[in-house]
């Protein structure tokens, strides 16, 4: 069985100040199908934006952002639990901090918990513990968090579902002729140092954090697949039917 980490971003999970339930349902159905033949871990953003659906605090103030995460994380998880129920999938919440990911003992404990959950067919839903993370000690974005989780749990593949449907040879919002890079074997320092360009106020990283995640995993020889979280057709063809139509696969040259 392959072990696959699926990461979904806030821009996919929320829309106009509400949780995007239709997209969440599509994601849940996809994961349920993926779970037939694979071990699946879900890294889900959306705590802060789910918190904002309940209380309109200014998220640019750190303490407000942390409060929003504390409000939103249970809202998000209860929605997931409800949506996975018809598929007979029990969900579990695993919150981690950057400090955990820097400590060998903590990593091995996280692994033991995740392995126990997976052995019992439970879906671990992972997020950073935003309510207690500090500026100095936070991963900050779930693209990189999902890459660390993929490496630390010995995953075979990371799938990033985003409002960005692939990696292009130029910014597709500025260049109409920008083309999808279907397979990427290396990522240069220059690409990694490009400015972050999130498309949504609750999104953290834009393309750069995705490239950082993919680059980190390239060094570990773990593949990353970047595809749309709005339309799951490319992710489904790739992950369920081994057919690469759209989206970008970051993989070491074989
Ligand atoms: N952990 C944040 C949240 O759940 C998201 C971080 C990110 O956007 O990557 O809201």
């Amino acid at each position: 069985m392959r072990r696959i980490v699926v990461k979904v971003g806030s821009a996919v999970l929320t829309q106009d100040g509400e949780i995007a339930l239709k997209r969440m349902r599509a994601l849940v159905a996809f994961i349920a199908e993926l779970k037939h033949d694979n071990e699946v871990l879900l890294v889900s953003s959306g705590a802060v934006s789910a918190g904002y659906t309940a209380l309109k605090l200014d998220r640019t103030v750190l303490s407000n952002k942390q409060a929003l995460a504390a409000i939103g994380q249970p809202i998000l998880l209860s929605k997931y639990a409800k949506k996975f129920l018809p598929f007979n999938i029990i969900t579990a919440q695993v919150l981690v901090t950057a400090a955990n990911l820097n400590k060998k003992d903590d990593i091995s404990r996280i692994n033991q918990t995740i392995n126990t959950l997976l052995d019992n067919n439970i879906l671990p839903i992972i997020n950073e513990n935003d309510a207690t993370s500090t500026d100095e000690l936070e991963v900050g974005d779930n693209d990189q968090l999902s890459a660390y989780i993929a490496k630390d749990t010995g995953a075979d593949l990371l799938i990033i579902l985003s409002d960005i449907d692939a990696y292009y040879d130029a910014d597709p919002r500025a260049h109409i002729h920008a083309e999808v890079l279907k397979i990427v074997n290396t990522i240069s320092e220059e690409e990694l140092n490009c400015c972050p360009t999130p498309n949504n106020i609750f999104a953290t990283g834009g393309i750069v954090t995705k490239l950082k995640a993919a680059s980190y995993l390239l060094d570990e020889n773990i593949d990353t697949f970047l595809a749309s979280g709005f339309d799951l057709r490319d992710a489904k063809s790739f992950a369920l039917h081994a057919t690469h139509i759209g989206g970008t696969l970051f993989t070491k040259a074989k």
Side-chain angles (χ1 to χ4, degrees), residues 28 42 46 54 83 101 103 109 120 148 158 180 189 247:
V28 164
L42 174 62
K83 299 248 168 317
L101 299 174
K103 275 198 236 135
R109 243 187 314 266
N120 287 285
Y148 302 148
L158 167 64
V180 169
E189 276 302 310

Side-chain angles (χ1 to χ4, degrees), residues 24-230:
M24 189 186 249
R25 265 197 296 276
L27 170 74
V28 164
F30 169 54
I31 289 177
E33 207 174 340
L34 197 59
K35 257 175 75 42
H36 289 153
D37 298 315
N38 304 280
E39 289 181 333
V40 182
L41 291 75
L42 174 62
V43 173
S44 179
S45 301
V48 177
S49 50
Y52 195 75
T53 65
L55 184 66
K56 307 290 182 238
L57 289 180
D58 175 4
R59 71 176 292 278
T60 58
V61 178
L62 180 63
S63 56
N64 284 350
K65 187 177 158 198
Q66 296 193 291
L68 287 172
I71 297 164
Q73 182 67 22
I75 297 178
L76 193 64
L77 267 283
S78 71
K79 300 260 189 252
Y80 274 126
K82 222 164 141 186
K83 299 248 168 317
F84 275 109
L85 205 60
F87 296 95
N88 284 324
I89 294 171
I90 297 175
T91 54
Q93 165 179 276
V94 181
L95 296 178
V96 300
T97 61
N100 290 146
L101 299 174
N102 282 326
K103 275 198 236 135
K104 256 192 164 158
D105 285 356
D106 289 11
I107 291 174
S108 89
R109 243 187 314 266
I110 292 169
N111 248 311
Q112 282 168 20
T113 307
I114 284 180
N115 287 337
T116 306
L117 292 168
L118 293 174
D119 288 348
N120 287 285
N121 201 26
I122 310 283
L123 175 73
I125 303 182
I126 302 158
N127 197 358
E128 185 161 9
N129 192 354
D130 298 309
T132 63
S133 307
T134 59
D135 260 354
E136 303 76 44
L137 204 65
E138 63 167 5
V139 181
D141 71 85
N142 278 4
D143 295 320
Q144 291 183 89
L145 179 79
S146 60
Y148 302 148
I149 293 289
K151 186 217 155 197
D152 291 338
T153 61
D156 304 287
L157 172 69
L158 167 64
I159 299 175
I160 298 182
L161 298 174
S162 174
D163 56 346
I164 301 169
D165 64 350
Y167 184 38
Y168 288 77
D169 60 358
D171 182 347
R173 291 168 303 179
H175 302 88
I176 49 166
H177 299 298
E179 282 187 26
V180 169
L181 298 165
K182 216 170 156 184
I183 295 193
V184 172
N185 298 130
T186 52
I187 301 170
S188 69
E189 276 302 310
E190 196 191 339
E191 290 167 285
L192 292 176
N193 290 325
C194 167
C195 44
T197 51
N199 296 330
N200 171 290
I201 53 159
F202 288 104
T204 309
I207 191 66
V208 175
T209 53
K210 285 150 191 73
L211 294 179
K212 285 186 178 160
S215 166
Y216 176 82
L217 290 182
L218 278 175
D219 289 343
E220 302 295 335
N221 210 358
I222 298 171
D223 291 352
T224 302
F225 185 67
L226 170 64
S228 170
F230 291 112

Side-chain angles (χ1 to χ4, degrees), residues 4-19:
I4 301 177
V5 176
V6 176
K7 184 262 167 181
V8 64
S10 303
V12 172
L13 287 172
T14 46
Q15 177 87 42
D16 303 327
E18 297 296 330
I19 294 193

